[in-house]
Amino acid sequence: MVQTLIWCKLVFSGPVNVVGREKVDELAQKLGGDQKYTQEVTKELAFSKWTYKIGLRGERQQLHDPILSDRWRWFGNNLPTNKMFVWYKTTFKVPIGNDPVVVDLMGLGKGHAWVNGNSIGRYWVSYLANEDGCTPTCDYRGTYSNSKCMTNCGKPSQRWYHVPRDFLKEDDNTLVVFEEFGGNPWNVKFQTVTVGTACANAYEGNTLELSCQGGNVISQIRFASFGSPKGECGSFGAGQCESPTALSTIQKACIGKESCSIDVSESYLGPTGCKDTNRLAVEITVRETSIGLGYLALFREFLLLGN
């Protein structure tokens, strides 16, 4: 079978009417009147010269480069928020330790970010997923559809961006952001991510308290079994009987929180079918963070700023 592709071309020709700005009639003004008129100008574009530019002025001036950007004037007072086409610059200290470093760009709109002149990628944290469709439980059994087991409803696809430690210096580091849509740069935070684990056991009839210190949060439930779990911390396994809903219930109650309380009972975690006393075993992952920012300045893309 041979398929023929048909290409279409749209051609525009003819004069374009350009309507000028509204002006006060000079004669009427001399006579004390306030009449106004609009002047219509017809311009034939076929005989006009057209030019265009690619990219941004800030890119040509290499504002993302912490050395070259000092040649240009930055403003440090009364910084605007929720403004389009604005360059922001700030400094931060390198976080202590060897843990991975991320920058939380929540609060910004859409744009591009650089650390010490190195691009860490484009971002679009203002584009949020649909609010509807997420469910507290997940079950892939049966006919598959793309609406099954949806998560992060009402949230951006990404808000934390990795900053390789190879990009960082021992002294002050520079973050430059070009914001296209408009956002609040004061919400930007640098964080270190330490992934640690903790385990807990509790028999039925008790309340299990899971908590983190220093503003850290529970990022993952690595294991949860309510019934007759086996093994020790780091090597837990399911026993001969367990509740099928315990894991999803604990995930809903604890993930993203500094602390949570779990009622160790079949009425809360679901029936197990076990004959002996039920036991809950949980292994969680804790994400630890630390934050540090310096001054903040801006360079407006749409303003003509001198050296």
Side-chain angles (χ1 to χ4, degrees):
M1 178 179 178
V2 178
Q3 185 178 21
T4 303
L5 299 178
I6 301 177
W7 296 89
C8 298
K9 182 179 181 181
L10 178 63
V11 179
F12 178 83
S13 61
V16 174
N17 295 331
V18 180
V19 179
R21 295 181 178 179
E22 196 174 48
K23 298 181 180 180
V24 178
D25 191 325
E26 296 180 0
L27 178 60
Q29 190 176 29
K30 292 179 181 179
L31 298 176
D34 57 355
Q35 298 179 3
K36 299 180 180 180
Y37 74 97
T38 57
Q39 182 180 7
E40 187 172 299
V41 179
T42 301
K43 183 70 174 178
E44 173 55 68
L45 300 182
F47 302 101
S48 300
K49 183 179 179 180
W50 289 79
T51 60
Y52 65 92
K53 292 183 177 180
I54 299 176
L56 302 169
R57 183 168 61 95
E59 291 179 332
R60 294 193 298 274
Q61 295 173 340
Q62 297 183 331
L63 294 182
H64 62 276
D65 189 305
I67 299 177
L68 298 179
S69 65
D70 288 340
R71 299 180 302 176
W72 309 101
R73 183 183 177 188
W74 293 77
F75 294 90
N77 298 320
N78 301 319
L79 301 183
T81 58
N82 300 315
K83 297 292 185 181
M84 299 174 61
F85 297 105
V86 178
W87 291 82
Y88 294 103
K89 180 170 72 170
T90 187
T91 60
F92 63 97
K93 297 291 185 181
V94 59
I96 299 174
N98 297 315
D99 297 321
V101 179
V102 297
V103 57
D104 183 1
L105 298 180
M106 197 65 178
L108 295 181
K110 179 183 180 183
H112 199 160
W114 296 263
V115 171
N116 292 334
N118 300 287
S119 172
I120 60 172
R122 291 186 57 82
Y123 62 86
W124 195 353
V125 293
S126 63
Y127 185 82
L128 304 180
N130 196 301
E131 292 280 354
D132 303 321
C134 291
T135 57
T137 60
C138 177
D139 188 354
Y140 278 109
R141 292 177 296 182
T143 304
Y144 173 78
S145 69
N146 57 7
S147 61
K148 276 191 174 182
C149 297
M150 293 179 59
T151 59
N152 293 327
C153 288
K155 298 180 181 180
S157 60
Q158 184 176 354
R159 58 178 287 187
W160 289 280
Y161 288 78
H162 179 226
V163 181
R165 282 193 173 266
D166 290 344
F167 289 178
L168 303 177
K169 302 181 295 183
E170 292 298 328
D171 52 358
D172 287 341
N173 294 271
T174 302
L175 169 69
V176 175
V177 171
F178 174 62
E179 176 56 49
E180 300 176 17
F181 281 5
N184 189 349
W186 296 109
N187 294 332
V188 175
K189 299 178 178 65
F190 275 89
Q191 305 174 343
T192 58
V193 180
T194 301
V195 179
T197 61
C199 300
N201 288 270
Y203 284 98
E204 187 172 10
N206 295 288
T207 299
L208 179 62
E209 298 281 348
L210 300 175
S211 63
C212 307
Q213 297 180 348
N216 305 320
V217 298
I218 300 171
S219 60
Q220 182 186 16
I221 307 298
R222 300 186 63 180
F223 178 87
S225 178
F226 177 54
S228 59
K230 302 180 298 183
E232 300 177 349
C233 184
S235 60
F236 280 133
Q240 295 181 350
C241 54
E242 67 172 351
S243 167
T245 60
L247 175 60
S248 60
T249 301
I250 297 174
Q251 287 175 332
K252 181 181 178 182
C254 300
I255 288 182
K257 299 180 180 179
E258 295 183 23
S259 63
C260 61
S261 298
I262 303 171
D263 179 15
V264 186
S265 65
E266 287 188 311
S267 60
Y268 182 69
L269 298 175
T272 65
C274 298
K275 296 180 180 180
D276 298 328
T277 302
N278 293 315
R279 181 170 65 93
L280 173 64
V282 180
E283 182 178 353
I284 64 173
T285 299
V286 179
R287 184 180 68 239
E288 302 178 0
T289 63
S290 60
I291 302 170
L293 281 178
Y295 77 93
L296 185 65
L298 74 84
F299 178 102
R300 291 186 177 179
E301 173 67 25
F302 50 84
L303 292 181
L304 182 60
L305 302 180
N307 294 329

